[in-house]
Amino acid sequence: MGCRPVLAIDSCHLSGPYKGALLFAIVYDADDGMFPLALGVVGSENYEDWYWFLEKLKGILDGQEVIIILDRHQGILCSVSELFGVENHAYCYRHVKQNFSSFFNRQNIRGKKWKEDALLLLDNIAYARLDIDYNEAFEKLVHFNGDLARWVAENSPKHWAMSKFLKKCWDKMTTNIAESFNAWLREERHQTIYTLLLMHMDKLVAMLDTYMRGTDKWKSMVGPKTKEKLMLNIMRSAPITVMPYLDKCTCLTWQMSGLPCPHVCAVIRTLRHDVYDYIDPCFKVSTQHLIYSGQFQPLPTHNMPKVCEARTLQDGQGNVFPSLQPSQVRRPPGRPRQRRIESQFSHKRAIHYYRCNGIGHNRSKCNNPLP
Ligand SMILES: [Zn+2]
Ligand SMILES: [Zn+2]
């Protein structure tokens, strides 16, 4: 369809009369705009529901291999690897950072400055493109605090650190674009499912139309956001004396992001070539046209059905259907929790008995001789 094969997936709760949750998959258009690919209404967010949604999603992808960027609750974790392959599952880095941050808070390290430094080190680890830079950043974290470094090592960096993730993910590491979709759909969440879908369709068509016409304003072969990134790389490029082969760069930026890195820009300038010849086609205006060239198939219309005895429906041709029931929502017992459930890797705070200085027990289980 033209979009890069990277899907950001997220969910939100529905607060309309039927409750339940909305799961959705978003892709990027040629200029990093939000392109809603699929959404599904489910009763809750358990393994079966996620599996159902991801399986349907896989069905519309026509066998194309895709990268799935997704937070990692247990339910999602196994369904993604079963359906799309474990190596194609990227963990949303924003969520990883949040979990790292709450792990940091449990370490009893005081001072805001320390936390800022720790998060900066984590950024360096995550955004390093080369193994050598990853290792250097990791060593720094080891010196900073061994426990934090252990946390990183134990929390599968191969799913969220750029140098460790082996598939090309076009420099996309978070589900932020899905988050924008969530905000965009805020009003619809309070409606019934049917109204939600109708409102969504209306809004979606208007948005797709705007984006489709948006290419008229593109001043070059690529969109404004892509152009800005490209210009930045061109500005950073220093004159060069050695002429490398122009198919990849050892800094990996070109291969990973699809846009020529400053080094390649320097070479292109020296050769007096056109920089647009070196941009991946997925950023070009022709791709944008392709992405928005699709058409909605109108839903087949029916004559209004009659409600019959025994809660069945009868359409104009006399066919009888079971009547549509609202989705089953399993509401967990007790009051709804206020705080977000952390991903699976959270650790319990170790208890500590102050009199013997022992860890892992309190007064009732203490066997140590007291001073
Ligand atoms: Zn480079
Ligand atoms: Zn003790």
Side-chain angles (χ1 to χ4, degrees), residues 65-325:
E65 191 179 9
V66 292
I67 305 296
I68 304 285
I69 309 179
L70 193 47
D71 189 23
R72 41 167 198 191
H73 343 126
Q74 198 59 54
I76 304 172
L77 212 58
C78 19
S79 31
V80 171
S81 37
E82 274 170 48
L83 288 163
F84 296 95
V86 67
E87 72 283 2
N88 287 324
H89 184 188
Y91 298 165
C92 170
Y93 175 59
R94 196 166 41 83
H95 287 102
V96 170
K97 203 168 171 178
Q98 271 168 13
N99 292 341
F100 178 82
S101 169
S102 38
F103 177 75
F104 182 95
N105 293 342
R106 289 192 296 270
Q107 299 303 301
N108 290 323
I109 310 173
R110 300 205 181 274
K112 208 172 152 204
K113 180 81 178 67
W114 286 109
K115 186 163 180 180
E116 278 169 14
D117 287 350
L119 290 175
L120 207 65
L121 286 172
L122 188 72
D123 277 349
N124 291 343
I125 288 175
Y127 290 110
R129 291 181 193 275
L130 301 173
D131 279 330
I132 180 171
D133 294 332
Y134 176 93
N135 293 339
E136 193 188 316
F138 189 79
E139 275 312 307
K140 276 190 190 152
L141 188 64
V142 171
H143 288 300
F144 182 81
N145 181 309
D147 289 332
L148 296 179
R150 205 168 313 122
W151 186 94
V152 168
E154 284 167 3
N155 280 270
S156 348
K158 67 171 196 257
H159 287 289
W160 51 266
M162 283 174 94
S163 60
K164 300 287 169 209
F165 193 75
L166 297 176
K167 295 295 175 76
K168 178 168 185 165
C169 63
W170 301 90
D171 277 8
K172 306 296 178 210
M173 297 176 67
T174 64
T175 52
N176 288 356
I177 195 150
E179 210 76 19
S180 329
F181 178 79
N182 201 344
W184 186 69
L185 215 65
R186 183 162 291 150
E187 288 308 310
E188 287 84 332
R189 291 170 41 187
H190 311 298
Q191 310 297 331
T192 62
I193 296 165
Y194 181 68
T195 317
L196 181 151
L197 292 178
L198 284 188
M199 283 171 81
H200 171 65
M201 280 292 261
D202 264 3
K203 229 165 143 175
L204 182 66
V205 169
M207 183 180 80
L208 296 182
D209 188 59
T210 315
Y211 279 164
M212 189 176 68
R213 290 165 204 281
T215 51
D216 296 346
K217 298 201 186 89
W218 288 18
K219 294 197 179 71
S220 60
M221 208 183 285
V222 297
K225 281 188 217 159
T226 313
K227 186 162 182 184
E228 201 185 313
K229 282 183 210 153
L230 187 66
M231 286 304 144
L232 212 64
N233 283 352
I234 292 177
M235 262 151 56
R236 284 196 197 129
S237 62
I240 50 141
T241 46
V242 188
M243 198 71 73
Y245 290 107
L246 261 191
D247 60 344
K248 46 180 169 294
C249 182
T250 44
C251 80
L252 297 185
T253 308
W254 192 16
Q255 293 94 302
M256 282 178 165
S257 69
L259 290 177
C261 62
H263 321 107
V264 171
C265 289
V267 177
I268 294 169
R269 192 162 55 186
T270 315
L271 291 172
R272 295 173 188 274
H273 285 184
D274 185 354
V275 70
Y276 290 116
D277 291 343
Y278 292 88
I279 290 176
D280 194 287
C282 70
F283 295 108
K284 293 186 178 167
V285 68
S286 47
T287 307
Q288 189 78 333
H289 285 149
L290 180 70
I291 291 172
Y292 290 104
S293 65
Q295 285 180 345
F296 279 101
Q297 302 299 326
L299 292 171
T301 48
H302 299 279
N303 294 328
M304 276 305 278
K306 289 191 304 217
V307 183
C308 309
E309 295 293 306
R311 311 186 78 191
T312 54
L313 294 174
Q314 197 175 29
D315 69 5
Q317 280 81 45
N319 300 317
V320 178
F321 301 97
S323 74
L324 192 61
Q325 299 295 321

Side-chain angles (χ1 to χ4, degrees), residues 353 355-359 361-362 365-368 370:
Y353 184 35
R355 290 188 69 183
C356 74
N357 246 336
I359 290 175
H361 62 271
N362 55 20
K365 293 270 169 61
C366 184
N367 298 322
N368 298 336
L370 289 177

